């Protein structure tokens, strides 16, 4: 039996400890930033997008079409981002046997720079911050509320009152934040990875299908936020074949699947059936990825890895090194 207070090594896919967060400060030099002078800021985007569309009495469908057609222009660029790495990604690194040993934070910063983001900042006291989901999922509501109460003012300060978009790398944490912060400005400023790329970066990136056959699992939280079409649209540009898990829930249930692996292995994931051609799996929750890896016997990792591997800057003058 494992010593009290430790997790048994019940799977070769158990994550290693994560490296320290990389330095962010400014991603581009002063000379590089001059190349982006024509790009709008997030604040300008919000003001322009609030203006009435120049269409007289359109139908609902027509208004939706007009809104979508304007979106690439309005959301052409986001120059500054507040990055909130979740507790999970700050603690859990790649599995020891995974050929991909880079951490998710490095790949996310690489993707942001390719998309033209000039500055990334962490939330103040980032290594002490938590959205409270880990406490909430265990019924510790007082601790969960205390976490949100400490994090919300830090997010407001870092984002200039919600003016600067906030990117969280883990979908369940992002969903919990949106549901529990009280300031409406924060609810609008919070993004999970695929939603952020789809909103701000996709028109500044060119994707190449560099994988032959991959599996994708959309976490419960992303399903609730209705992000499945975005998963399909973006990840479909990165591989010849994208096989969605078809599983409503991985069954990890926070950390319960680590302590009781039979919950996901023999329960929620018992019908997981991926083609033999699949070489890599992707999701947007590290704990979900652990459960899926064990059941499928292949490495699941963050969608951020796939997007970064397959993306190049659309603008030739963007410096990515």
């Amino acid at each position: 039996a494992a010593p009290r207070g430790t997790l048994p090594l019940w799977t070769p896919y158990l994550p290693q400890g994560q490296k320290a967060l990389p330095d962010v400060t400014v991603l581009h030099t002063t000379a590089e930033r001059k190349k982006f002078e024509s790009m709008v800021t997030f604040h300008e985007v919000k003001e322009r997008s609030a203006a009435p569309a120049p269409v007289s009495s359109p139908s609902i469908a027509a208004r939706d079409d007009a809104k979508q057609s304007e979106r690439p222009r309005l959301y052409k660029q986001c120059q500054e981002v507040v990055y909130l790495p979740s507790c999970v990604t700050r603690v859990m690194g790649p599995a020891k046997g995974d050929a991909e040993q880079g951490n998710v934070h490095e790949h996310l910063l690489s993707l942001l720079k390719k998309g033209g983001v000039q500055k990334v900042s962490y939330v103040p006291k980032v290594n002490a911050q938590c959205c409270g989901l880990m406490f909430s999922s265990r019924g510790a509501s007082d601790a969960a509320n205390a976490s949100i109460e400490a994090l919300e003012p830090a997010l407001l300060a870092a984002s200039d009152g919600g003016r600067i978009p906030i990117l969280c790398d883990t979908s369940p944490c992002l969903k919990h934040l949106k549901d529990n912060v009280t300031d409406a400005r924060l609810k609008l400023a919070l993004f999970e990875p695929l939603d952020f790329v789809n909103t701000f970066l996709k028109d500044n990136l060119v994707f190449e299908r560099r994988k032959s056959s991959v599996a994708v699992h959309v976490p419960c939280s992303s399903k609730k936020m209705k992000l499945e079409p975005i998963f399909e649209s973006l990840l479909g540009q990165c591989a010849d074949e994208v096989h969605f898990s078809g599983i409503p829930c991985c069954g990890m249930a926070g950390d319960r699947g680590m302590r009781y692996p039979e919950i996901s292995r023999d329960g929620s994931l018992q019908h997981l059936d991926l083609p033999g051609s699949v070489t890599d799996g992707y999701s947007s929750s590290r704990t979900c990825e652990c459960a899926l890896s064990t059941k499928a016997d292949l490495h699941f990792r963050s969608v951020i890895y796939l997007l970064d591997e397959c993306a190049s800057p659309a603008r030739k003058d963007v410096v990515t090194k």
Side-chain angles (χ1 to χ4, degrees), residues 176-294:
H176 185 76
L177 271 174
K178 274 186 171 287
D179 289 344
N180 289 278
V181 293
T182 59
D183 195 298
R185 294 172 296 175
L186 283 184
K187 291 180 183 290
L188 294 172
L190 287 162
F191 293 85
E192 63 89 66
L194 284 170
D195 192 20
F196 184 89
V197 171
N198 186 66
T199 303
F200 295 110
L201 303 186
K202 69 177 182 180
D203 297 302
N204 302 311
L205 296 170
V206 175
F207 292 98
E208 180 182 350
R209 290 187 173 92
R210 295 184 177 176
K211 294 289 187 181
S212 175
S213 180
V214 302
V216 173
H217 175 72
V218 183
C220 305
S221 52
S222 298
K223 292 186 178 80
K224 292 175 182 176
M225 292 187 286
K226 304 185 186 305
L227 298 180
E228 289 165 288
I230 296 177
F231 273 73
E232 295 173 4
S233 172
L234 288 178
L235 302 185
Q237 300 179 59
C238 299
D240 295 328
E241 298 178 4
V242 178
H243 303 277
F244 284 83
S245 68
I247 302 298
C249 175
C250 74
M252 182 58 91
D255 67 349
R256 289 178 181 81
M258 289 185 170
R259 293 177 289 124
Y260 306 101
E262 62 273 15
I263 294 176
S264 57
R265 183 189 64 223
D266 304 324
S268 298
L269 294 179
Q270 62 179 307
H271 298 300
L272 181 66
D273 185 20
L274 299 175
S277 61
V278 170
T279 58
D280 302 88
Y282 299 94
S283 189
S284 55
S285 168
R286 190 69 188 98
T287 51
C288 296
E289 292 153 22
C290 293
L292 290 156
S293 297
T294 304

